[in-house]
Amino acid sequence: MDDLLSRTRAAVWHPCTQMKQLEAAPPLAIARGEGAWLIDTDGRRYLDAISSWWVNLFGHCNPRINAAITDQLGKIEHVMLAGATHEPVVALSERLAKLTGLGHAFYGSDGASATEIALKMSAHFWRNAGQPGKNGFISLANGYHGETVGALSVTDIPLFKSTYAPLLRRTVQVPTPDARLAGPGESAEAYALRCAAALETHLAGHAATTAAFIVEPLVQGAAGMAMYHPAYLTRARELCDRYQVHLIADEIAVGFGRTGTMFAFEQAAAPTPAHAPPLTPHAIRPDFICLSKGITGGYLPLSAVLTTDDIYAAFYDDATARGFLHSHSYTGNPLACRAALAVLDIFAHDNVIAANRAKAIEFTGMLEEVAAHTRVRHFRHLGMIWAFDVADATPGFSARFHQAALAQGVFMRPIGNTVYVMPPYVTSADEMRGLADAMLACLCNPGI
Ligand SMILES: *Cc1c(COP(=O)(O)O)cnc(C)c1O
């Protein structure tokens, strides 16, 4: 294992990591995985409490997903999607259309590329519609949409953004409805509506130069699992309609059941029916939906951008330049699509959304002592996400908590002073109880 660690330091440049810190805090050397567990080269086991950066849904080495990929390997591993097509990408696109009501799927390989695709598609739509001046973007304060240059332009996390600011396009951030920021005595809903009023003020002045508003529905993940009231999305949808601005739902982190519904936007009610059954008729309808992370159950890199018939139609033409000009070598990779289809089969067959609802109630009960701990503020929960802030956290808290949790056999990475849990859906009650005990032990250690 020491050998692997020195080789990784010499040869691998790790993401979101100051490499010098790996001397003091080496990464886990993972040999294999099993359900919710990661197992290192010395055989030590760690509960993957954050689903390997929020991607894993049904555990590591899931037999059903393994079988789907293995079956596909014997057929075709990859073929370019320009000038060719295949059953897995067609079937996945059809199923995503049924689930979301948005019928045209464009594929990328990771979340940031989905953001790039949605932004480019939105601006190109307005150009094709004779309004090339509508090419600006709005996002929420503290939002996160990926770290490639275009995606970073709409991201608002200073640590990731400031250094690269000279490379980025200027975009506008409107106030975040993060419920922690509500005034004394103000409800989450009232605060969300106050933020929506600020969005309206901006749109009223800048609609002519704005292509789209991109949001993480209900939970701003990288901001520290900031949660907000769905009334914000309902109002945002109305305002985007009124001011002719696209609404992009970045469901990369929250899609596929994380917030308790298949997609988070479904929890925002539209004043008039936006969908025909069997979709939730009263859910708002975004103009674009970005999906990635959980889409393959955490197996393979895949992202998708779904959009409406109207937007699709604006590109449908004899002129090549009116078509969407974008491609990635691995667009619609068959192995990744088969993993995604296996994930959707598990959702349907095991009635996962309903099962998670019961599980979430049980798990929340197990976290009562954590929620009531004197160091804990803003304990919050939505679907299969739990988070809280640690009031007296001092610099280095996140790294110390991470190490202390590892010593308890749990893999976690707090964001600043926010501790969060986002376990794979296969996590059992016993495993969750162990996780709750480990967090309590960390909180009770005043040195952390
Ligand atoms: C992770 C994430 C992205 C970026 O996805 P990558 O695959 O890491 O590029 C974009 N938006 C949200 C909301 C995310 O959580």
Side-chain angles (χ1 to χ4, degrees):
M1 149 146 163
D2 283 350
D3 183 44
L4 191 61
L5 294 179
S6 62
R7 282 167 56 207
T8 205
R9 277 204 301 269
V12 181
W13 201 334
H14 289 262
C16 202
T17 300
Q18 168 50 265
M19 290 298 291
K20 188 159 191 239
Q21 285 169 3
L22 289 194
E23 286 178 29
L28 294 184
I30 296 304
R32 56 198 189 84
E34 198 181 277
W37 295 88
L38 298 165
I39 300 156
D40 76 8
T41 48
D42 292 333
R44 270 190 297 262
R45 295 162 64 86
Y46 302 92
L47 189 71
D48 189 357
I50 56 170
S51 297
S52 288
W53 250 350
W54 325 345
V55 301
N56 193 290
L57 302 185
F58 300 119
H60 298 280
C61 289
N62 182 292
R64 286 187 273 181
I65 305 174
N66 285 8
I69 295 172
T70 308
D71 178 64
Q72 186 58 38
L73 268 175
K75 294 177 175 162
I76 175 77
E77 74 302 326
H78 184 67
V79 58
M80 63 190 285
L81 203 62
T85 192
H86 49 82
E87 174 66 24
V89 79
V90 174
L92 179 59
S93 306
E94 290 168 349
R95 286 181 70 174
L96 291 174
K98 276 213 187 76
L99 284 170
T100 62
L102 272 61
H104 308 276
F106 194 99
Y107 292 90
S109 311
D110 47 39
S113 63
T115 300
E116 303 285 350
I117 289 162
L119 298 180
K120 281 178 69 178
M121 235 180 221
S122 172
H124 195 163
F125 168 90
W126 292 115
R127 183 185 163 89
N128 282 351
Q131 300 186 66
K134 276 173 82 71
N135 59 34
F137 299 108
I138 313 174
S139 59
L140 288 181
N142 306 333
Y144 182 90
H145 303 287
E147 294 170 58
T148 52
V149 171
L152 193 56
S153 297
V154 287
T155 285
D156 186 44
I157 308 277
L159 177 64
F160 303 148
K161 191 170 189 177
S162 309
T163 307
Y164 308 105
L167 310 184
L168 306 178
R169 181 125 188 275
R170 210 181 300 279
T171 66
V172 171
Q173 276 67 54
V174 291
T176 169
D178 177 352
R180 292 174 297 179
L181 304 176
E186 188 179 33
S187 70
E189 181 172 13
Y191 179 62
L193 293 173
R194 184 148 67 88
C195 290
L199 171 65
E200 172 156 29
T201 303
H202 179 81
L203 288 174
H206 300 89
T209 54
T210 303
F213 175 39
I214 182 167
V215 288
E216 294 162 89
L218 300 188
V219 184
Q220 293 183 288
M225 300 301 154
M227 297 181 185
Y228 63 85
H229 196 279
Y232 185 82
L233 296 174
T234 301
R235 279 297 283 153
R237 176 67 278 179
E238 287 172 10
L239 294 169
C240 285
D241 280 341
R242 185 175 330 143
Y243 290 99
Q244 295 274 291
V245 165
H246 292 142
L247 180 64
I248 304 173
D250 177 351
E251 294 255 354
I252 291 166
V254 293
F256 299 99
R258 261 303 154 194
T259 66
T261 43
M262 192 62 167
F263 301 103
F265 75 81
E266 294 175 63
Q267 293 178 46
T272 51
H275 301 278
L279 297 167
T280 316
H282 289 281
I284 60 159
R285 194 170 81 140
D287 298 296
F288 297 92
I289 302 172
C290 299
L291 302 172
S292 190
K293 290 205 164 94
I295 192 170
T296 62
Y299 265 67
L300 288 162
L302 180 73
S303 62
V305 176
L306 312 174
T307 193
T308 62
D309 293 346
D310 285 351
I311 289 172
Y312 178 76
F315 289 80
Y316 202 82
D317 197 85
D318 292 322
T320 304
R322 279 181 70 96
F324 187 48
L325 306 168
H326 193 93
S327 56
H328 294 289
S329 310
Y330 284 100
T331 297
N333 175 262
L335 294 170
C337 290
R338 280 299 295 277
L341 286 165
V343 162
L344 294 181
D345 285 344
I346 295 173
F347 268 106
H349 186 268
D350 296 3
N351 208 354
V352 170
I353 299 292
N356 278 357
R357 210 161 284 154
K359 216 170 223 196
I361 292 168
E362 190 183 9
F363 288 5
T364 302
M366 293 177 188
L367 293 173
E368 259 170 27
E369 247 184 292
V370 169
H373 195 278
T374 51
R375 298 177 74 188
V376 169
R377 299 286 180 279
H378 297 298
F379 183 88
R380 50 201 182 273
H381 157 238
L382 189 65
M384 291 294 277
I385 308 173
W386 291 264
F388 57 87
D389 304 339
V390 173
D392 56 357
T394 51
F397 166 80
S398 169
R400 288 192 302 274
F401 193 99
H402 170 72
Q403 290 298 337
L406 282 183
Q408 305 273 335
V410 174
F411 186 77
M412 294 174 77
R413 280 173 62 111
I415 300 170
N417 70 339
T418 296
V419 177
Y420 73 94
V421 173
M422 204 155 156
Y425 304 162
V426 295
T427 304
S428 69
D430 276 351
E431 289 164 342
M432 192 66 192
R433 212 166 284 119
L435 174 53
D437 290 346
M439 281 199 287
L440 209 53
C442 292
L443 283 172
C444 289
N445 180 342
I448 292 168

